[in-house]
Amino acid sequence: MRPEGTNGTSGDELLVPMAWLYAEYIADELLRTGDLMPPTTLEFRAGRNALALTVFLSDGPVDGARLPARLDEWLSLTADGRPWHEWVCEQLNGLDAEDFEAGGHDPDLPLARAAWRWLEETELLAADLNAVGPAAADVRGGTEDEPRIWTPAWQLGLPLGHLSIHLF
């Protein structure tokens, strides 16, 4: 998605990052509709950022008529085992190159980059789903001896976003 144009003839007007704000809005609505966790948690933020990046970096506008096809596309992009991390890096690098050629005026790109940086640099303490043993067998238990590991935020946010799309 490219930045929205300005309505004036002067090039000095404020560019509003409408594509990014719209992607964040869609991600927020999907996560809130799924009602998987409170919106005040870091896990929710990770899911919103991961979904917003998916929406922002996937091609084409989102409108009511195309929403079912877009949901299928986002499900495919966020599916387990897909190279989502590499896809995001590739897409952002492509946008960086386009923005550089255009003179660096894309207001959406810094916000998308900040969300990606947060997802990569932030680690959240989560249940170790790969652990072997009795404590790991009952995922619902939530016992204190449950094995937990520090996980990059995108690795928690991505499956949360994927599940939210399914629940929509």
Side-chain angles (χ1 to χ4, degrees), residues 3 9 17-18 21 40 42 44 58 60 63 78 92 95 106 115 117 120 130 137 153:
T9 56
M18 292 304 295
L21 293 175
T40 56
L42 289 174
F44 185 92
S58 61
D63 58 25
T78 60
L92 284 174
L95 288 178
D106 186 346
R117 197 169 31 260
E120 281 196 309
N130 295 323

mmCIF file of all heavy atoms in Angstrom, residues 3 9 17-18 21 40 42 44 58 60 63 78 92 95 106 115 117 120 130 137 153:
data_model
loop_
_atom_site.group_PDB
_atom_site.id
_atom_site.type_symbol
_atom_site.label_atom_id
_atom_site.label_comp_id
_atom_site.label_asym_id
_atom_site.label_seq_id
_atom_site.Cartn_x
_atom_site.Cartn_y
_atom_site.Cartn_z
ATOM 1 N N PRO A 3 1.366 5.537 0.182
ATOM 2 C CA PRO A 3 0.755 6.613 0.958
ATOM 3 C C PRO A 3 -0.341 7.315 0.171
ATOM 4 O O PRO A 3 -0.333 7.332 -1.053
ATOM 5 C CB PRO A 3 1.922 7.557 1.242
ATOM 6 C CG PRO A 3 2.921 7.270 0.187
ATOM 7 C CD PRO A 3 2.754 5.819 -0.163
ATOM 8 N N THR A 9 -1.952 21.617 -4.116
ATOM 9 C CA THR A 9 -0.984 21.669 -5.202
ATOM 10 C C THR A 9 0.432 21.818 -4.674
ATOM 11 O O THR A 9 1.379 21.552 -5.375
ATOM 12 C CB THR A 9 -1.297 22.851 -6.138
ATOM 13 O OG1 THR A 9 -1.326 24.043 -5.363
ATOM 14 C CG2 THR A 9 -2.619 22.641 -6.832
ATOM 15 N N PRO A 17 -0.266 8.912 7.374
ATOM 16 C CA PRO A 17 -0.011 7.489 7.099
ATOM 17 C C PRO A 17 -1.298 6.659 7.104
ATOM 18 O O PRO A 17 -1.496 5.793 7.946
ATOM 19 C CB PRO A 17 0.933 7.096 8.239
ATOM 20 C CG PRO A 17 0.542 7.994 9.362
ATOM 21 C CD PRO A 17 0.153 9.296 8.710
ATOM 22 N N MET A 18 -2.167 6.945 6.152
ATOM 23 C CA MET A 18 -3.482 6.300 6.128
ATOM 24 C C MET A 18 -3.402 4.791 5.908
ATOM 25 O O MET A 18 -4.179 4.039 6.505
ATOM 26 C CB MET A 18 -4.373 6.941 5.060
ATOM 27 C CG MET A 18 -4.765 8.365 5.375
ATOM 28 S SD MET A 18 -5.590 8.550 6.961
ATOM 29 C CE MET A 18 -7.081 7.631 6.672
ATOM 30 N N LEU A 21 -2.378 3.238 9.280
ATOM 31 C CA LEU A 21 -3.444 3.399 10.270
ATOM 32 C C LEU A 21 -4.625 2.480 9.950
ATOM 33 O O LEU A 21 -5.233 1.896 10.854
ATOM 34 C CB LEU A 21 -3.894 4.856 10.344
ATOM 35 C CG LEU A 21 -2.847 5.832 10.886
ATOM 36 C CD1 LEU A 21 -3.355 7.263 10.800
ATOM 37 C CD2 LEU A 21 -2.457 5.476 12.310
ATOM 38 N N THR A 40 -5.081 -4.767 26.571
ATOM 39 C CA THR A 40 -4.030 -4.053 27.304
ATOM 40 C C THR A 40 -2.761 -4.875 27.463
ATOM 41 O O THR A 40 -1.786 -4.391 28.029
ATOM 42 C CB THR A 40 -4.545 -3.658 28.697
ATOM 43 O OG1 THR A 40 -4.998 -4.842 29.370
ATOM 44 C CG2 THR A 40 -5.679 -2.652 28.585
ATOM 45 N N LEU A 42 0.676 -7.173 26.358
ATOM 46 C CA LEU A 42 1.729 -7.143 25.347
ATOM 47 C C LEU A 42 1.482 -8.187 24.271
ATOM 48 O O LEU A 42 1.844 -7.991 23.107
ATOM 49 C CB LEU A 42 3.096 -7.368 25.996
ATOM 50 C CG LEU A 42 3.617 -6.226 26.855
ATOM 51 C CD1 LEU A 42 4.905 -6.622 27.554
ATOM 52 C CD2 LEU A 42 3.817 -4.975 26.021
ATOM 53 N N PHE A 44 -1.426 -9.001 23.060
ATOM 54 C CA PHE A 44 -2.376 -8.377 22.135
ATOM 55 C C PHE A 44 -1.634 -7.433 21.191
ATOM 56 O O PHE A 44 -1.867 -7.434 19.987
ATOM 57 C CB PHE A 44 -3.456 -7.620 22.915
ATOM 58 C CG PHE A 44 -4.541 -7.048 22.044
ATOM 59 C CD1 PHE A 44 -5.687 -7.776 21.779
ATOM 60 C CD2 PHE A 44 -4.426 -5.785 21.494
ATOM 61 C CE1 PHE A 44 -6.701 -7.257 20.990
ATOM 62 C CE2 PHE A 44 -5.417 -5.255 20.692
ATOM 63 C CZ PHE A 44 -6.561 -5.999 20.434
ATOM 64 N N SER A 58 0.573 -6.896 2.382
ATOM 65 C CA SER A 58 -0.103 -7.663 1.329
ATOM 66 C C SER A 58 -0.668 -6.675 0.317
ATOM 67 O O SER A 58 -0.947 -5.529 0.633
ATOM 68 C CB SER A 58 -1.191 -8.553 1.917
ATOM 69 O OG SER A 58 -2.171 -7.798 2.575
ATOM 70 N N GLY A 60 -3.008 -4.761 -2.457
ATOM 71 C CA GLY A 60 -4.379 -4.419 -2.781
ATOM 72 C C GLY A 60 -5.164 -3.831 -1.631
ATOM 73 O O GLY A 60 -4.870 -4.054 -0.470
ATOM 74 N N ASP A 63 -11.665 -3.889 0.892
ATOM 75 C CA ASP A 63 -13.010 -3.343 0.915
ATOM 76 C C ASP A 63 -13.974 -4.475 1.241
ATOM 77 O O ASP A 63 -13.593 -5.646 1.271
ATOM 78 C CB ASP A 63 -13.367 -2.652 -0.409
ATOM 79 C CG ASP A 63 -13.254 -3.572 -1.613
ATOM 80 O OD1 ASP A 63 -13.375 -4.796 -1.450
ATOM 81 O OD2 ASP A 63 -13.050 -3.065 -2.717
ATOM 82 N N THR A 78 -0.055 -16.086 7.324
ATOM 83 C CA THR A 78 0.250 -16.245 8.749
ATOM 84 C C THR A 78 0.228 -17.703 9.205
ATOM 85 O O THR A 78 0.415 -17.971 10.390
ATOM 86 C CB THR A 78 -0.750 -15.436 9.606
ATOM 87 O OG1 THR A 78 -2.077 -15.906 9.347
ATOM 88 C CG2 THR A 78 -0.640 -13.952 9.328
ATOM 89 N N LEU A 92 9.444 -5.288 3.361
ATOM 90 C CA LEU A 92 9.907 -3.996 3.888
ATOM 91 C C LEU A 92 11.133 -3.495 3.136
ATOM 92 O O LEU A 92 11.244 -2.292 2.863
ATOM 93 C CB LEU A 92 10.213 -4.107 5.385
ATOM 94 C CG LEU A 92 9.004 -4.148 6.310
ATOM 95 C CD1 LEU A 92 9.428 -4.414 7.743
ATOM 96 C CD2 LEU A 92 8.188 -2.865 6.222
ATOM 97 N N LEU A 95 9.910 -2.023 -0.067
ATOM 98 C CA LEU A 95 9.302 -0.706 0.153
ATOM 99 C C LEU A 95 10.363 0.346 0.443
ATOM 100 O O LEU A 95 10.222 1.498 0.025
ATOM 101 C CB LEU A 95 8.289 -0.764 1.292
ATOM 102 C CG LEU A 95 6.991 -1.498 1.001
ATOM 103 C CD1 LEU A 95 6.116 -1.523 2.244
ATOM 104 C CD2 LEU A 95 6.252 -0.871 -0.175
ATOM 105 N N ASP A 106 7.235 8.432 2.049
ATOM 106 C CA ASP A 106 6.175 7.512 2.460
ATOM 107 C C ASP A 106 5.977 7.625 3.970
ATOM 108 O O ASP A 106 6.829 7.198 4.741
ATOM 109 C CB ASP A 106 6.549 6.073 2.072
ATOM 110 C CG ASP A 106 5.432 5.088 2.329
ATOM 111 O OD1 ASP A 106 4.470 5.431 3.045
ATOM 112 O OD2 ASP A 106 5.520 3.965 1.802
ATOM 113 N N ALA A 115 6.929 -0.922 14.077
ATOM 114 C CA ALA A 115 6.190 -2.103 14.532
ATOM 115 C C ALA A 115 7.037 -3.361 14.352
ATOM 116 O O ALA A 115 7.092 -4.222 15.240
ATOM 117 C CB ALA A 115 4.873 -2.239 13.756
ATOM 118 N N ARG A 117 10.339 -3.527 14.198
ATOM 119 C CA ARG A 117 11.457 -3.463 15.139
ATOM 120 C C ARG A 117 10.998 -3.924 16.534
ATOM 121 O O ARG A 117 11.676 -4.694 17.203
ATOM 122 C CB ARG A 117 12.022 -2.042 15.186
ATOM 123 C CG ARG A 117 13.376 -1.915 15.790
ATOM 124 C CD ARG A 117 14.026 -0.548 15.582
ATOM 125 N NE ARG A 117 13.144 0.598 15.501
ATOM 126 C CZ ARG A 117 12.767 1.188 14.351
ATOM 127 N NH1 ARG A 117 13.200 0.736 13.202
ATOM 128 N NH2 ARG A 117 11.963 2.238 14.360
ATOM 129 N N GLU A 120 10.538 -7.708 16.593
ATOM 130 C CA GLU A 120 11.810 -8.435 16.570
ATOM 131 C C GLU A 120 12.602 -8.282 17.860
ATOM 132 O O GLU A 120 13.236 -9.233 18.314
ATOM 133 C CB GLU A 120 12.679 -7.960 15.408
ATOM 134 C CG GLU A 120 12.287 -8.525 14.085
ATOM 135 C CD GLU A 120 13.378 -8.341 13.047
ATOM 136 O OE1 GLU A 120 13.867 -7.209 12.888
ATOM 137 O OE2 GLU A 120 13.743 -9.344 12.416
ATOM 138 N N ASN A 130 7.076 -26.719 23.284
ATOM 139 C CA ASN A 130 7.917 -27.823 22.820
ATOM 140 C C ASN A 130 8.516 -28.630 23.972
ATOM 141 O O ASN A 130 9.240 -29.592 23.743
ATOM 142 C CB ASN A 130 9.047 -27.303 21.933
ATOM 143 C CG ASN A 130 8.515 -26.697 20.656
ATOM 144 O OD1 ASN A 130 7.551 -27.191 20.085
ATOM 145 N ND2 ASN A 130 9.123 -25.614 20.222
ATOM 146 N N ALA A 137 2.236 -31.390 29.412
ATOM 147 C CA ALA A 137 1.160 -32.177 28.824
ATOM 148 C C ALA A 137 -0.181 -31.477 28.946
ATOM 149 O O ALA A 137 -1.014 -31.539 28.048
ATOM 150 C CB ALA A 137 1.101 -33.554 29.481
ATOM 151 N N ALA A 153 8.467 -11.444 20.244
ATOM 152 C CA ALA A 153 7.055 -11.054 20.214
ATOM 153 C C ALA A 153 6.367 -11.497 18.926
ATOM 154 O O ALA A 153 5.200 -11.888 18.952
ATOM 155 C CB ALA A 153 6.928 -9.544 20.396
#
